[in-house]
Each structure stands twice: as C-alpha cells, then as structure tokens.
Amino acid sequence: MSKYLIAGNWKMNTNLDEAKSITDRLHSYLDYDSEVELLICPPFTHLSFLSELIDLSRISLGAQNVHSEKNGAYTGEISIDMLLSVGCEYVIIGHSERRSIFGEDDKFINKKVVNSLNAGLRVILCIGETLEQREKGETFEILENQLEKGLIGVEKIINLKIAYEPVWAIGTGKTANKEQISETHEFISKFLIKRFGENNIKILYGGSMNAENAEEILSIKNVNGGLIGGASLKPDSFLSIYNTAIKLC
Ligand code: PGA
C-alpha cells in the first residue's frame, strides 16, 4: 500500500484541451514512486477521454461525485456503473461544496458511500467544520457526527479514505495550522480505530494546500496525503507536492 495519496480535485475547471495539457505535463514530469499515489479528479465530461490518455498504473483517475442509485429517472446525474465503465477508480463523496451548495445531507452521502464501496470504487469521504462551528467549539462534534452518519453500514474499509477539509480553509488561502491539523487527524484516527478495530484508512488533509506548505502539512502525524483543489490545476505545483511526499517517505 502506498504511503501517501496526493489527490487533485479539479472542481468545475478546465475544458478538454486544458485537461489534456495538464495531464500531458503530469505524465512527462512524473517521477513515478510506488510509495506515493497520484490521483486526478477532473470533471465528468473528461473521464472517458483521460482514462484512454493516461497510464492508469501511474496516475489514478477519480470523479468528483456520483449518484447513489443504480440507474433511472435522475436527470443530470451520473451512476457508479457509468464511472466504472470509463475506467474511473475513485470517487470523492460529501465534499463541502456538495453539502453546502447542493444541499447533500449525511443520509444521501452515506448511501453513495455504501453503494460505491460495494461496487468496488475507492471512496474519499470528505468531512469538515465551518468557521462558525469551529468558533463555537463544535469541531469534534461535527466531525464525529459526519463520520458516524457517513459510515453507517460500512464494513469493508479497504477502499475507504477520509479527507478532513475545514470548510473555512477551502479555496481561501487560509490553511489550518499545525496544531489544528494534528488534533483533528488524531481525533479522526481514534474514531476509525474505535469504529473498525484498526486504522489502515488514509486520512487526507484538504484546504489551500500548495507547494509551499505541503512539507509542513504532510509531515504531521496521521496525515496520509492531500486533497488539493486550486494547486492541482497548476501541474508544476501539483508535482511539487507529489515530490515533497516522495521526499518524506
Ligand atoms: P483548495 O480546495 O485546495 O482549492 O482549497 C480543496 C478542496 O476543496 O478539495
């Protein structure tokens, strides 16, 4: 099993030409290392094309969302089977933008997690508190609640990862400090040990991670990778984070 997972969440950015040029650059400069897994999560429309283009043994491919149901009258939605059929290995579920902008609740998120894991997709379940919740001292309560509800019925954990993303640090240029990351990741790790009897589940940090702060963040105990938005659209920054992870192995 790799030591770190460096995941890029492209969000609703890039047209197909731009996606191709980012991916080409990643390919040509990737100093492949089996200890660090590199994952890109482009928009749905690029998945099929990119899965043909990239060497999936060197770069993993993921989606940013999925619907919980197998198929049917869900206009505009994408199913688990559709993702698998285009070579997608990962899916991000419960990102704070899905929760806050699109109103996804823990029940819906849980259904996606369970069905995706059962179908063999690797799941990155995102959790995190808002600034208001942190200021009210509710951080751990929120994380516990999101973990408990998000993981109902989950037994097989081999394909599960958790991303801790403080909402106030996403896309804001503000990162959580060392102590904040350390105590939340320790809390999540303890929760997972209690829930599953052990913790082999990677816990990623997300929120304004970049080439400059990657070394400090990835060195923190219980941080097993990053979920990176803005900096993953700049191949040089993304590769620099990846190379930092290799250095730390
Ligand atoms: P950011 O996004 O790196 O741009 O803060 C992270 C995320 O939303 O996954």
Side-chain angles (χ1 to χ4, degrees):
M1 194 161 82
S2 63
K3 204 160 168 223
Y4 286 107
L5 172 62
I6 303 299
N9 174 11
W10 293 8
K11 309 194 181 185
M12 198 176 71
N13 294 297
T14 71
N15 61 27
L16 195 56
D17 282 343
E18 290 159 347
K20 186 175 176 307
S21 102
I22 293 175
T23 313
D24 282 343
R25 195 153 169 87
L26 292 181
H27 251 295
S28 46
Y29 287 90
L30 191 65
D31 194 6
Y32 180 68
D33 186 293
S34 60
E35 297 268 28
V36 183
E37 184 177 358
L38 193 79
L39 163 69
I40 54 170
C41 300
F44 288 132
T45 47
H46 308 349
L47 288 172
S48 178
F49 176 80
L50 291 182
S51 78
E52 297 284 321
L53 184 76
I54 62 181
D55 173 356
L56 289 168
S57 67
R58 303 179 68 201
I59 302 180
S60 304
L61 189 65
Q64 300 168 22
N65 186 27
V66 72
H67 198 274
S68 60
E69 296 306 317
K70 237 177 145 60
N71 51 31
Y74 299 98
T75 301
E77 290 295 328
I78 298 288
S79 74
I80 293 164
D81 185 49
M82 291 172 196
L83 295 184
L84 289 168
S85 72
V86 294
C88 204
E89 305 164 274
Y90 276 88
V91 63
I92 299 170
I93 296 179
H95 189 279
S96 70
E97 286 148 18
R98 298 298 320 170
R99 293 177 190 260
S100 66
I101 305 172
F102 301 99
E104 293 192 8
D105 61 13
D106 288 306
K107 200 168 166 210
F108 187 35
I109 288 166
N110 174 245
K111 213 166 172 196
K112 297 178 189 215
V113 170
V114 170
N115 292 349
S116 297
L117 287 173
N118 287 345
L121 270 176
R122 299 182 188 169
V123 167
I124 300 176
L125 170 64
C126 300
I127 57 169
E129 81 289 357
T130 62
L131 186 58
E132 197 189 343
Q133 289 162 338
R134 176 163 281 275
E135 283 170 349
K136 281 200 211 147
E138 295 171 356
T139 299
F140 295 124
E141 197 186 312
I142 295 293
L143 298 182
E144 183 164 19
N145 196 38
Q146 289 175 339
L147 283 169
E148 243 159 33
K149 292 186 174 155
L151 296 175
I152 291 172
V154 170
E155 292 312 329
K156 266 202 277 164
I157 53 170
I158 181 154
N159 283 335
L160 177 67
K161 330 269 169 207
I162 305 293
Y164 167 61
E165 299 204 298
V167 179
W168 47 273
I170 296 177
T172 57
K174 272 189 230 160
T175 11
N177 66 34
K178 229 174 147 172
E179 282 84 65
Q180 289 166 328
I181 299 175
S182 173
E183 64 183 15
T184 44
H185 278 245
E186 189 186 346
F187 178 84
I188 295 165
S189 177
K190 283 189 174 150
F191 175 95
L192 295 171
I193 291 171
K194 207 165 134 210
R195 172 70 172 76
F196 297 110
E198 56 177 338
N199 178 23
N200 296 323
I201 300 170
K202 281 195 172 59
I203 309 170
L204 316 182
Y205 169 81
S208 299
M209 192 159 160
N210 56 39
E212 286 69 46
N213 59 29
E215 180 156 2
E216 185 178 20
I217 295 171
L218 293 172
S219 316
I220 299 171
K221 199 170 164 216
N222 295 310
V223 174
N224 315 116
L227 182 55
I228 299 135
S232 72
L233 292 164
K234 300 177 209 136
D236 292 347
S237 305
F238 195 48
L239 285 168
S240 161
I241 298 171
Y242 174 76
N243 287 327
T244 300
I246 293 180
K247 202 177 87 184
L248 292 172
C249 283

